[in-house]
Amino acid sequence: MDNYIYIVASLPDLTINFGSSQFSYTDVQSQIVDLLSESDKLIINLFEEGFADETLNADFYAKTSESKNRFMRQYFTFDALLRNKKVTYLASQLQQNASKYMLTLDDIEFEEEKKVNEIFALSDFLQREQQLDMLKWQKADDLALSDYFNLSTILSFLVKAHIVQRWAQLDKQTGEQMFRQLLGEVRGTFDGLSTKN
């Protein structure tokens, strides 16, 4: 018997806090996973790969596109489109050719493309990162809008919990360091994606 009603009813309220706060994603996630079925745990395992740089590659996005879970398919399609936009932006900053590092996607309309372009036009790095996370937050909300007491509701919550965890560990003084780290991650992504081509 599924525990969705109990799990969803017990989820804490989350808000984006772009400053320091106490929050443990690991604790919250483990409490949820303990109550899920084995088949749902497999979906959660794949979901978590979407937040680990070393597993973000063409194979991961191919697996999520074939998932039986609608939220997984739609959210990570959005995530792939967003990452391609980020690669384009960062490649321009690094004076790299972005085309060979792009994820190959079907001809999919990117509904949020205009908003994403506006975000990348912002000159302040921290403001860009905040706006991107707010966009991800809103996407997670929108995709679970018609879902009640099911796994998609839980996945939407976990997307937002990842965002909360990220900002709980940061403050404004880390902005420059974040940017250097991000460029390093992207260089690693370039290397990883190029091996897939």
Side-chain angles (χ1 to χ4, degrees):
M1 180 177 180
D2 292 327
N3 294 313
Y4 297 137
I5 294 177
Y6 173 78
I7 296 171
V8 173
S10 63
L11 294 177
D13 291 330
L14 295 177
T15 58
I16 300 180
N17 181 5
F18 295 126
S20 298
S21 65
Q22 297 297 318
F23 179 79
S24 172
Y25 177 85
T26 302
D27 289 348
V28 172
Q29 193 256 26
S30 63
Q31 292 171 18
I32 292 171
V33 170
D34 285 346
L35 297 171
L36 293 175
S37 67
E38 292 305 313
S39 60
D40 284 348
K41 288 178 182 178
L42 292 176
I43 294 175
I44 294 292
N45 289 341
L46 179 59
F47 168 86
E48 293 297 348
E49 290 183 24
F51 298 88
D53 293 327
E54 63 273 13
T55 55
L56 282 176
N57 52 42
D59 289 341
F60 167 76
Y61 289 106
K63 286 187 288 186
T64 56
S65 70
E66 297 170 357
S67 174
K68 294 180 180 180
N69 181 273
R70 179 186 60 81
F71 185 95
M72 288 286 289
R73 294 192 308 273
Q74 295 182 352
Y75 182 80
F76 285 108
T77 294
F78 159 80
D79 186 73
L81 291 166
L82 181 58
R83 287 180 186 277
N84 272 353
K85 280 288 186 181
K86 184 173 282 192
V87 166
T88 301
Y89 168 75
L90 289 169
S92 70
Q93 301 299 302
L94 296 168
Q95 298 181 335
Q96 296 273 343
N97 179 4
S99 61
K100 63 180 179 179
Y101 305 120
M102 303 282 280
L103 289 164
T104 301
L105 303 171
D106 295 332
D107 188 15
I108 304 170
E109 180 184 0
F110 191 12
E111 297 177 0
E112 293 82 8
E113 184 171 13
K114 181 179 178 181
K115 177 63 177 177
V116 171
N117 288 337
E118 292 172 354
I119 292 172
F120 281 119
L122 296 172
S123 59
D124 182 81
F125 170 73
L126 276 182
Q127 189 179 5
R128 284 199 307 271
E129 289 299 301
Q130 290 171 357
Q131 291 293 320
L132 288 171
D133 276 350
M134 289 174 68
L135 185 65
K136 294 174 187 177
W137 186 288
Q138 186 60 54
K139 187 67 174 181
D141 266 344
D142 292 345
L143 290 178
L145 191 61
S146 60
D147 292 301
Y148 301 97
F149 305 119
N150 61 21
L151 187 60
S152 292
T153 305
I154 293 168
L155 292 171
S156 174
F157 171 86
L158 290 176
V159 168
K160 293 183 284 186
H162 268 290
I163 294 170
V164 170
Q165 174 73 4
R166 180 186 184 210
W167 289 98
Q169 296 172 337
L170 298 173
D171 57 46
K172 292 186 177 182
Q173 283 68 43
T174 63
E176 187 175 342
Q177 179 182 346
M178 281 175 59
F179 187 60
R180 289 196 299 268
Q181 178 182 344
L182 185 58
L183 292 180
E185 290 172 357
V186 171
R187 289 190 181 100
T189 299
F190 286 164
D191 293 339
L193 289 178
S194 62
T195 63
K196 299 290 182 181
N197 295 334

